Amino acid sequence: MYKSRIHTMRTMYKSRIEAPSFLQVYSNGLVKRFAPEIVTLSLESSFNGYKSKDVIIDPSKPITARLFLPHSNHESSLENNLPILVYFHGGGFCIGSTTWLGYHTFLSDLCVASSCIVLSVDYRLAPEYRLPIAYEDCYASLEWLAAQVTIEPLLQKADLSRVFLSGDSAGGNIAYHVTIKAIQNKGSCPVKIKGLLPIHPYFGSETRTEKEMDESAAGEVAMNDMFWRLSIPEDSDRDYFGSNFEKLELCESVWGEFPAIEVYVAGLDLLKERGVMYGEFMKKKGVKEVKVVEAKEEKHVFHVFYYESDATRLLQNQISQFIKRY
């Protein structure tokens, strides 16, 4: 009897799906996440060159975010109308947080380098909240911006007519879909999207790319497939519109309204092909300004894990220059 009970408990908690060091999903539906080093904040924290605080986008969901404001001892030296970069973290829609040290450091440094307000969003995660929940949560951050711009002290200098959307991996995917929703809601969307900057965007399809069919990529392909199984609706496959950008049917007028796009890819990233294909797809759809920028010797989301590297500094400069152009 006792041994039977132990066996039942072991079976119940046997790991069904796992991303080592980050995620375990058990057969009974229990989800365990393991975060790397994180950065906690007091109500409002001042650092060298910026201020930061955590905010609540929607307490009922919950959706939260971290705000970064470039800060100078001589406040008059800062422009009154600062652009806003809304950033969505990666993690296969299942893991990740704006509190992770890599994200906090990358975005705080970017905030200073670009003289830009950054809103980094923590959306609800799969498998508990499957797509399109992440898209809806992240669009809500745009509505929050408009509602808070005259209330939140760190947004007093914010220019809602110069909003840029970015994110890495799954976050790049989210930025694309939030842009679409903003265009479709043109009459009611409270901000103006001036640019889209997906970093190593996470897309997929039932058809494999050339790199994905290489035997050496089998482990990475299996991991990507796992995250898709956990994040898309249970009756869907990788041709779901949130995964396969070619499956989303939009009016021609929507493509014509797209802002400038700069897609960042990494030369050693399995998803590089998908990023290049996405850029080419957007060009074919008539999006006027599309550029693909490659970091040749870098891996997937290098800027999160190597946030002080030369490659990361270059990426921050490229993003800053893009923002300044628009």
Side-chain angles (χ1 to χ4, degrees):
M1 180 79 172
Y2 178 76
K3 288 183 178 180
S4 176
R5 187 173 298 174
I6 293 292
H7 174 74
T8 300
M9 290 179 68
R10 284 177 177 170
T11 301
M12 182 182 297
Y13 289 98
K14 183 180 180 182
S15 180
R16 177 168 60 95
I17 299 175
E18 182 175 24
S21 303
F22 290 102
L23 178 74
Q24 290 177 335
V25 180
Y26 292 85
S27 56
N28 68 340
L30 176 67
V31 179
K32 287 187 177 181
R33 294 182 176 87
F34 308 94
E37 186 176 354
I38 65 170
V39 176
T40 56
L41 297 178
S42 56
L43 290 178
E44 183 177 312
S45 302
S46 294
F47 300 89
N48 185 25
Y50 71 95
K51 292 180 179 180
S52 185
K53 70 181 290 189
D54 290 333
V55 297
I56 298 173
I57 303 294
D58 187 336
S60 68
K61 297 289 191 291
I63 311 168
T64 60
R66 180 162 289 184
L67 261 175
F68 300 87
L69 171 72
H71 172 64
S72 169
N73 291 330
H74 306 286
E75 286 297 324
S76 59
S77 65
L78 288 175
E79 296 180 21
N80 283 324
N81 298 309
L82 295 176
I84 307 165
L85 179 75
V86 185
Y87 195 93
F88 311 117
H89 67 75
F93 305 101
C94 298
I95 58 175
S97 171
T98 186
T99 64
W100 285 14
L101 175 63
Y103 284 115
H104 179 92
T105 305
F106 174 74
L107 292 173
S108 60
D109 288 347
L110 178 59
C111 158
V112 176
S114 61
S115 296
C116 180
I117 295 171
V118 176
L119 180 70
S120 178
V121 181
D122 266 338
Y123 49 90
R124 288 175 292 174
L125 299 173
E128 300 95 324
Y129 301 98
R130 292 174 178 265
L131 294 175
I133 292 294
Y135 303 150
E136 296 166 1
D137 286 0
C138 291
Y139 182 81
S141 68
L142 305 185
E143 298 173 324
W144 179 88
L145 271 174
Q148 293 294 315
V149 70
T150 59
I151 303 170
E152 169 54 54
L154 266 62
L155 291 176
Q156 286 183 352
K157 295 178 180 288
D159 184 353
L160 295 184
S161 69
R162 291 186 67 210
V163 175
F164 298 82
L165 301 186
S166 184
D168 61 274
S169 197
N173 177 308
I174 292 171
Y176 168 58
H177 285 280
V178 172
T179 301
I180 290 171
K181 188 165 185 177
I183 293 170
Q184 291 173 326
N185 294 349
K186 186 178 179 181
S188 59
C189 182
V191 304
K192 175 67 174 177
I193 309 298
K194 297 290 286 184
L196 171 60
L197 303 98
I199 303 171
H200 316 160
Y202 181 49
F203 294 112
S205 66
E206 286 297 303
T207 303
R208 300 296 191 191
T209 66
E210 185 177 340
K211 275 190 175 183
E212 290 168 351
M213 290 188 288
D214 192 301
E215 286 186 17
S216 64
E220 288 183 85
V221 170
M223 186 66 69
N224 283 344
D225 287 354
M226 180 202 75
F227 279 117
W228 283 123
R229 286 196 303 274
L230 290 173
S231 60
I232 60 179
E234 293 190 65
D235 59 350
S236 300
D237 60 21
R238 293 189 307 276
D239 282 333
Y240 172 68
F241 79 89
S243 172
N244 188 344
F245 50 77
E246 294 184 349
K247 298 298 182 181
L248 183 61
E249 296 182 6
L250 297 173
C251 299
E252 286 188 21
S253 59
V254 173
W255 300 115
E257 292 288 332
F258 252 83
I261 303 174
E262 192 153 284
V263 186
Y264 301 99
V265 299
L268 304 181
D269 183 6
L270 179 68
L271 291 175
K272 174 193 167 182
E273 286 176 310
R274 298 278 181 190
V276 173
M277 289 163 59
Y278 169 70
E280 291 302 317
F281 174 80
M282 298 304 282
K283 289 178 183 178
K284 289 177 182 176
K285 287 296 182 180
V287 178
K288 296 173 185 175
E289 298 179 63
V290 182
K291 183 179 180 181
V292 176
V293 179
E294 180 180 351
K296 290 188 179 296
E297 300 300 322
E298 301 302 325
K299 297 180 180 179
H300 189 62
V301 297
F302 63 86
H303 62 292
V304 179
F305 296 101
Y306 305 101
Y307 42 80
E308 294 183 343
S309 69
D310 290 342
T312 296
R313 297 294 181 230
L314 177 58
L315 175 61
Q316 289 165 338
N317 182 62
Q318 290 165 335
I319 294 172
S320 299
Q321 292 304 314
F322 180 92
I323 291 172
K324 288 174 183 176
R325 288 199 300 272
Y326 301 98

